[in-house]
Amino acid sequence: METAVSRHFGEIALTPAGQRVISGRYDHDGVPVDLDLSFGEHDRMDESCIHKVDYRLRFLPELIEAARERITLDLGDSESPAVEYRHFHCQNLNDGKIRELFGVETQDAVDDAAFVRALRLTRVGIFPGQPERYFVLDFTLGEGFTDEVLVAAADEDGVVDDEVSWD
C-alpha cells in the first residue's frame, strides 16, 4: 500500500476512496490544537493532496488571526451568533469566573477585545474535497466551562467566510 508522510499527521495510507478522518496535532503558540483531516466518500487522497495540506497549514497562524478579526466584526452585529454565544456564556458569571476567563474584574469590563482574547482554538477541521470550506476552526471559552464552540470557516486560499456560527 502506498503511503505519504505528513508533518502534522504522520504516515498516511493512501486509499483510493472512502470516507476517512485522520487526526493530527498543531502547536500554536505553545498550545497543542487538534487537527482532523477529513476525506469524503469520493475525495481524492494522494501524496500531492497531503503535501498541499501541510503547505497550507504553514499559514494557520494568519488564518487564526483572520478568524478572530471576523469574530470581532460579528460582535458589532447584535443579532450575530458571536453576540449570542457571548451573551449566553457570560450572563450569569460571578466576578471570580469573569477574572479567570477574561482577565478583567467585572462583567461590564468584558469588552469585545477581552472576549476575543479569551477564545481558545480547540480544533481545526481540514476538508480537501471542499475548496470553499477547506478549513473549519472551532473556538471555545474553555473546556470544562462549555462544550459549545464558535465556528469560523475559510476557503482553500485562507479567506474567512463572512459568517461565524455557534455549534
Side-chain angles (χ1 to χ4, degrees), residues 17-134:
Q19 212 166 356
R20 205 168 155 194
V21 177
I22 302 161
S23 297
R25 298 290 267 196
Y26 183 90
D27 184 57
H28 180 64
D29 293 336
V31 178
V33 175
D34 291 332
L35 299 176
D36 289 337
L37 178 57
S38 299
F39 292 93
E41 187 66 35
H42 303 289
D43 292 344
R44 185 173 168 204
M45 183 183 359
D46 58 19
E47 193 168 359
S48 67
C49 175
I50 302 303
H51 290 307
K52 180 179 176 181
V53 168
D54 276 342
Y55 175 78
R56 294 201 184 284
L57 283 170
R58 292 178 44 209
F59 302 99
L60 190 56
E62 292 87 351
L63 179 59
I64 294 166
E65 191 56 37
R68 289 180 178 282
E69 289 172 10
R70 176 77 253 168
I71 292 168
T72 300
L73 284 173
D74 282 8
L75 290 171
D77 175 0
S78 63
E79 296 184 20
S80 73
V83 169
E84 292 174 13
Y85 182 92
R86 177 178 165 180
H87 177 73
F88 179 81
H89 287 91
C90 297
Q91 64 185 343
N92 295 315
L93 295 178
N94 63 38
D95 290 345
K97 195 64 171 175
I98 292 285
R99 196 173 310 107
E100 177 187 330
L101 287 173
F102 302 103
V104 296
E105 296 302 314
T106 64
Q107 191 165 350
D108 293 339
V110 180
D111 60 7
D112 293 352
F115 175 76
V116 172
R117 213 176 22 255
L119 291 171
R120 301 290 173 246
L121 179 66
T122 59
R123 180 184 139 328
V124 177
I126 305 161
F127 301 86
Q130 298 180 31
E132 71 288 343
R133 200 168 164 84
Y134 194 89

